[in-house]
Amino acid sequence: MDRIDRQMLQLLQQEGRLSTVELAERVALSPSPCARRLKRLEDSGIISSYRAVLNRKLLQLATTVFVNVRLMHHREDAVRLFEEAVTTMDEVIACHVVSGAFDYLLEVVVRDLPDYEKLVRKLQALSMVQDITSNFAIRTVKSGTPLPLPGQL
Amino acid sequence: MDRIDRQMLQLLQQEGRLSTVELAERVALSPSPCARRLKRLEDSGIISSYRAVLNRKLLQLATTVFVNVRLMHHREDAVRLFEEAVTTMDEVIACHVVSGAFDYLLEVVVRDLPDYEKLVRKLQALSMVQDITSNFAIRTVKSGTPLPLPGQL
DNA sequence: CGTGAAAAGATACACAA
DNA sequence: TTGTGTATCTTTTCACG
């Protein structure tokens, strides 16, 4: 893992469909070693996948909400059931166990407020959920930025 | 925008490097119309980009923190300067203006607690920042899930 | 790591249904 | 609008220096 690997990762985070040849040019390498490095990065799991990024506005999914959830208690089965429920909800595109006053932070993407309300009701219907608090994303300043790769790996 | 387009988007959100031919097979179409549709989705901006997704643990970027920021006031120049500052901070991979008690929600990725502290100090050094609160991501239940595409577009 | 050549695959287009 | 076929171009792969 050297400077060139990091450079490749940086580029692929922005243009995931770069071919080996294009990538090679940009990192000033010939295609062969570039392909070898890329394969190594993929096989090792450092590159875990490639994804298309969609425009939410154009898809009428303009409403992003951050929902904080607190559970009643933290018995193992309640936790498991909650996480399974959340996993099946497509509107929830991210879910983290977090420190602080709440147990979970969910990132929710919906079309509009009625759809948001439906989701909230689904969450509140879960018996292990104590309470939830929502914060609407009014504007996105930045998102999906490339990861800051540590320079000394 | 019909069922096939949605199917393509769904697939590309999970496998961004699918070729036109592979994609065509999976949506039961021949390559030509599939390529035409894909081009349309790209040109229209519905597909905004393709990205490689990296494994944070393997890159020693295991610490994700959600940082809430409140500004002193909301004069236009203070807001602009704050957002410019945040935009230049590589550790901040997302930043939203949010409703609720705070003004901004930042998603921060760092290597460890010392690096986290450095970032907090950078934020606190900004004169327009009133206060910040951090919530650590202890565990990620789900993240980067495909968007829930509305079925009736 | 680089070069070169061979093989495989993808894209683009014209035309027909 | 989709399907077929073809031609072209690009990419990938691999052996070897």
Side-chain angles (χ1 to χ4, degrees), chain A residues 12 16-18 46 48-53 55 83 92 95 97 99 111 135-136 138-139 141-142 144 152, chain B residues 12 16-18 46 48-53 55 83 95 97 99 111 135-136 138-139 141-142 144 152:
Chain A
L12 287 169
R17 274 193 135 169
L18 281 179
I46 290 177
S48 63
S49 64
Y50 296 91
R51 293 193 184 156
V53 179
N55 183 316
E83 295 186 6
V92 178
C95 172
V97 178
S99 67
R111 202 171 27 167
N135 295 107
F136 285 78
I138 296 167
R139 183 166 51 88
V141 178
K142 76 194 280 193
Q152 59 291 336
Chain B
L12 287 169
R17 276 193 132 167
L18 282 179
I46 290 177
S48 63
S49 64
Y50 296 91
R51 294 193 182 157
V53 179
N55 182 316
E83 295 185 6
C95 172
V97 178
S99 66
R111 202 171 27 168
N135 295 107
F136 285 78
I138 296 166
R139 183 166 51 87
V141 178
K142 76 193 279 192
Q152 59 292 336

Side-chain angles (χ1 to χ4, degrees), chain B residues 5-33:
Chain B
D5 280 326
R6 283 194 298 276
Q7 222 179 320
M8 289 173 57
L9 292 176
Q10 197 69 32
L11 288 165
L12 287 169
Q13 280 188 91
Q14 299 169 55
E15 294 181 55
R17 276 193 132 167
L18 282 179
S19 70
T20 310
V21 180
E22 284 170 332
L23 199 56
E25 287 171 5
R26 303 216 196 170
V27 300
L29 219 60
S30 57
S32 293

Side-chain angles (χ1 to χ4, degrees), chain B residues 49-61:
Chain B
S49 64
Y50 296 91
R51 294 193 182 157
V53 179
L54 309 188
N55 182 316
R56 297 185 192 181
K57 287 223 179 84
L58 293 178
L59 290 166
Q60 333 233 262
L61 287 167

Side-chain angles (χ1 to χ4, degrees), chain A residues 112-130:
Chain A
D112 48 27
L113 291 177
D115 281 357
Y116 161 71
E117 195 196 358
K118 281 177 205 141
L119 178 79
V120 167
R121 292 210 172 142
K122 272 199 284 182
L123 287 170
Q124 284 172 333
L126 297 170
S127 64
M128 74 293 274
V129 169
Q130 183 170 114

